[in-house]
Amino acid sequence: MTRTASTPTDARPTASGPPSALPDRLTSLTLLLLAALTIMSGATIAPALPAMQAHFADQPNANLLVKLALTIVGLVIAISAPLSGVLADKFGRRPVLLWSLVLYAVGGASGLFVQSLGEVLAGRVILGFAVAGTMTAGGALVNDLFSGPARGKFLSQQAAFTSFGGAVLLPLGGLLAGVGWRAPFGIYLISLLLIPLVLRLPKGVPGGVTPAEAAEKPRWLAVALVYFLALAYMVVFYLMPAQGPFLLQALGAKPAATGLLLGTFTLIAALTSLGYSRFAGRFDPRRVAALGMLLLAGGWGLVAVAHSIPAVLVGLIVAGLGGGLVFPNLYAWLADLTPAAWRGRITAGMSSAVFLGQFLSPLVLAAPTAHPAQGFVWGSLGIAIIGAGLFALSVVKPKVA
């Protein structure tokens, strides 16, 4: 029989709590690669949006629909993630991951050959179901295999790895977009390469829980607050991949330069997450997440007033510093609030919040074609208020709720 758990064998998750040893490096790498698929789901095709819009210019509402091709994935995830969480808790993490990887390739790469904007959107819907499965089951498996400070450290490493993936894939998407708007869709086929790695993961069925664990309920008020913060943050964070390419085009940037700039943003976020991983667990995650939001606000404020590509780059660097701090700390906070029997479902709720925010971003912070920076102005103001409120909460109630 093929060994599917980490080494040593007693590192497998148990029904009653976290594993007795940390997973091996290949298992950890697999979880990191699965997380990297999340940023690929939308941002990979971001540099191709202007060319896609030009291709479908004769279709009604092409301006809005092309942007939705990027963000409709988020809506589908928001709707389907709860179902993925139930399936992951009932049938195990690995089966959900395997089916999701197949759907990821089918839906993601469909843009290589479809002929209408409607068919592009249909492929993105399929991709949304796939991402919901990978993000939910993968996130639940992280909570199965890690606990305490080790979990916080791994979540920061995971955020860094995801951003490093974006730093590579976004410039690659920009180069491919220079060839044609269809070319970036081919990147989604990379999910098939992860199937052999996922086959060796533990199945991850929580199994029977103790009566005490079964009776333990999440602290819903605190969980709902984390969900809200994740949604609001993503609405503002996703301004760059959803509307940034149009702002950069107005400033004279070519698709390859747009991809490079977006990659720089994610690279800075990656370095920040990686650096913070050494300090994970030492600070109140609410305060660090609030700091990240305030830095993002400052970065988008600089982007909003920029009149040149170098000025935009400065704003992206500041925003990237904040972007590397928010999600690792929100996820660590949420994990501390989640009973073992609820891991799949609570993680699914977080996935819904994150990607609903992604979907809502170009709708809530819409910017007219003549003023592509307008969304960044309102986004900067909104996330600054939320970040300040979160910091105030951490001061009034020092103990993490």
Side-chain angles (χ1 to χ4, degrees):
M1 177 181 294
T2 302
R3 187 173 179 177
T4 59
S6 55
T7 304
T9 55
D10 62 0
R12 300 185 183 192
T14 65
S16 59
S20 58
L22 294 177
D24 62 34
R25 291 184 179 179
L26 187 55
T27 296
S28 297
L29 177 61
T30 303
L31 294 171
L32 293 173
L33 291 170
L34 288 169
L37 293 181
T38 301
I39 196 170
M40 282 179 57
S41 64
T44 298
I45 68 166
L49 293 184
M52 190 187 305
Q53 181 174 311
H55 181 82
F56 292 111
D58 59 337
Q59 296 194 18
N61 301 314
N63 183 34
L64 175 61
L65 292 178
V66 166
K67 290 181 181 178
L68 288 180
L70 184 72
T71 61
I72 196 173
V73 177
L75 177 62
V76 176
I77 295 170
I79 294 172
S80 64
L83 175 60
S84 298
V86 172
L87 294 175
D89 278 344
K90 184 175 182 180
F91 298 106
R93 322 310 192 199
R94 189 176 65 209
V96 173
L97 287 171
L98 290 171
W99 279 106
S100 297
L101 289 175
V102 174
L103 289 177
Y104 194 100
V106 171
S110 63
L112 290 171
F113 54 84
V114 296
Q115 298 301 315
S116 71
L117 189 51
E119 291 173 339
V120 171
L121 293 175
R124 305 298 285 177
V125 168
I126 295 173
L127 179 64
F129 284 111
V131 177
T134 56
M135 188 174 185
T136 299
L141 194 54
V142 169
N143 287 341
D144 291 340
L145 296 172
F146 295 89
S147 63
R151 178 192 288 147
K153 181 177 180 179
F154 184 80
L155 287 171
S156 294
Q157 292 173 344
Q158 188 179 64
F161 194 90
T162 300
S163 297
F164 277 127
V168 173
L169 293 170
L170 285 167
L172 178 59
L175 290 173
L176 292 174
V179 176
W181 68 266
R182 293 183 184 275
F185 287 87
I187 298 176
Y188 292 103
L189 294 172
I190 198 172
S191 66
L192 298 177
L193 300 178
L194 299 187
I195 290 178
L197 295 175
V198 171
L199 284 171
R200 69 177 297 279
L201 290 176
K203 188 175 182 181
V205 177
V209 296
T210 66
E213 289 173 331
E216 186 180 1
K217 301 296 183 183
R219 297 187 303 220
W220 287 114
L221 184 60
V223 169
L225 175 59
V226 178
Y227 287 172
F228 166 75
L229 293 170
L231 186 151
Y233 169 74
M234 183 52 71
V235 167
V236 178
F237 175 86
Y238 219 69
L239 275 166
M240 184 49 66
Q243 301 191 47
F246 299 95
L247 173 61
L248 293 171
Q249 183 184 47
L251 293 174
K254 301 298 182 182
T258 296
L260 185 61
L261 286 166
L262 293 177
T264 299
F265 170 51
T266 56
L267 176 61
I268 296 299
L271 294 174
T272 304
S273 296
L274 190 61
Y276 178 74
S277 68
R278 298 184 178 184
F279 305 98
R282 298 185 187 181
F283 304 102
D284 187 331
R286 298 172 302 173
R287 295 185 184 182
V288 182
L291 173 62
M293 292 178 183
L294 293 173
L295 285 169
L296 179 67
W300 281 176
L302 292 172
V303 170
V305 300
H307 296 289
S308 65
I309 298 300
V312 170
L313 179 60
V314 174
L316 290 176
I317 291 173
V318 175
L321 291 172
L325 297 175
V326 177
F327 270 137
N329 285 281
L330 288 183
Y331 273 105
W333 180 14
L334 185 66
D336 291 337
L337 299 169
T338 305
W342 287 79
R343 284 172 182 159
R345 284 161 286 182
I346 295 294
T347 302
M350 186 65 160
S351 300
S352 292
V354 169
F355 283 94
L356 181 60
Q358 181 187 109
F359 172 76
L360 292 175
S361 181
L363 303 177
V364 174
L365 299 174
T369 303
H371 302 282
Q374 181 174 300
F376 289 90
V377 174
W378 292 110
S380 175
L381 179 62
I383 202 63
I385 293 172
I386 292 172
L390 179 58
F391 183 82
L393 176 65
S394 71
V395 173
V396 173
K397 295 185 176 181
K399 185 178 180 179
V400 176

